[in-house]
Amino acid sequence: DAGVIQSPRHEVTEMGQEVTLRCKPISGHDYLFWYRQTMMRGLELLIYFNNNVPIDDSGMPEDRFSAKMPNASFSTLKIQPSEPRDSAVYFCASSFRDREYQNQPQHFGDGTRLSIL
Amino acid sequence: TQLLEQSPQFLSIQEGENLTVYCNSSSVFSSLQWYRQEPGEGPVLLVTVVTGGEVKKLKRLTFQFGDARKDSSLHITAAQPGDTGLYLCAGALESNQGGKLIFGQGTELSVKP
């Protein structure tokens, strides 16, 4: 079975440019999470969706960051304009809630390594 | 403020040694998960513990959930170079039913042959 698919795997761009990261969750999963990972701050939750609706975006650093989930099989995280301090590995993860309303583990993609010069 | 304190942050040991990683919080979790992450990949689930006092074993790895569901530990017996990686604990707050996990800072483990 295909896991969570992220693209691109690597992105290098100059500051001020728009960056779009893409994620395809596992089919049937109704939760989608975007994380950022750095050495200094570890794994930080940016935003998460349930049934395509944003539930908690309190982790989004500032207005330069935005995320959308137009349908159950696709989500984007956009940074505009990008800055060098946005350099990090960005992960997408998906999960589902079972019939007993227990949250199942999160399945992570392999991440996008973003470098802003 | 880190809700889930993980220690140690770095651990470098020789093959065959035992080690324990700790995850502590003042908050109560409905469940706690342990993940392992290798370079260039996303975290992968090792185990989920849900009951206070629960102990789960996965080959040489032993996971324990504290009685009060505020802390957890991961013990590795006779570590091998293949155990090298970043270990992350993650808890689902009892007050949050929304699927959100709180991650610890991680423990970078290096096992030298």
Side-chain angles (χ1 to χ4, degrees):
Chain A
D1 288 340
V4 175
I5 299 172
Q6 290 187 247
S7 64
R9 287 298 313 273
H10 303 273
E11 173 94 16
V12 181
T13 191
E14 292 188 347
M15 65 177 292
Q17 297 297 308
E18 178 179 289
V19 173
T20 300
L21 311 182
R22 296 173 176 80
C23 175
K24 178 178 168 53
I26 293 174
S27 177
H29 283 192
D30 54 356
Y31 284 89
L32 185 139
F33 306 82
W34 281 102
Y35 292 91
R36 178 172 68 178
Q37 187 176 42
T38 60
M39 286 291 291
M40 289 295 293
R41 301 173 70 90
L43 197 62
E44 301 174 276
L45 177 66
L46 300 177
I47 184 171
Y48 79 97
F49 296 82
N50 178 220
N51 292 322
N52 313 338
V53 176
I55 302 300
D56 183 350
D57 65 354
S58 59
M60 295 286 261
E62 47 199 273
D63 291 346
R64 297 184 298 106
F65 286 68
S66 63
K68 293 182 180 179
M69 191 164 186
N71 57 63
S73 59
F74 183 66
S75 177
T76 60
L77 177 68
K78 192 170 289 189
I79 309 173
Q80 167 64 17
S82 58
E83 296 182 4
R85 60 192 167 120
D86 302 330
S87 298
V89 181
Y90 290 80
F91 286 101
C92 175
S94 69
S95 70
F96 70 96
R97 180 173 278 188
D98 63 23
R99 276 180 276 179
E100 294 177 350
Y101 296 101
Q102 296 297 315
N103 290 306
Q104 295 300 309
Q106 294 185 13
H107 296 257
F108 285 76
D110 284 337
T112 294
R113 183 172 293 277
L114 178 64
S115 296
I116 308 297
L117 306 176
Chain B
T1 305
Q2 191 69 21
L3 269 179
L4 207 48
E5 296 286 343
Q6 196 171 335
S7 62
Q9 271 192 277
F10 301 95
L11 197 52
S12 181
I13 61 172
Q14 293 295 128
E15 182 176 0
E17 291 184 18
N18 301 333
L19 66 114
T20 303
V21 178
Y22 298 94
C23 204
N24 295 292
S25 176
S26 56
S27 302
V28 178
F29 295 101
S30 58
S31 67
L32 197 135
Q33 299 169 0
W34 285 91
Y35 292 79
R36 179 165 167 261
Q37 183 179 13
E38 296 194 45
E41 299 180 5
V44 175
L45 180 78
L46 294 173
V47 78
T48 300
V49 285
V50 296
T51 306
E54 182 176 3
V55 177
K56 278 192 174 178
K57 291 195 175 186
L58 192 66
K59 296 183 181 177
R60 293 174 294 99
L61 277 61
T62 301
F63 304 85
Q64 186 159 8
F65 202 12
D67 291 340
R69 289 183 289 131
K70 293 182 178 181
D71 55 89
S72 181
S73 64
L74 157 61
H75 182 79
I76 302 179
T77 304
Q80 298 177 2
D83 296 327
T84 293
L86 178 68
Y87 290 81
L88 294 156
C89 61
L93 285 172
E94 197 166 55
S95 58
N96 185 338
Q97 300 299 310
K100 178 177 175 177
L101 289 176
I102 308 297
F103 276 86
Q105 287 283 77
T107 295
E108 189 74 56
L109 172 65
S110 173
V111 183
K112 300 187 188 320

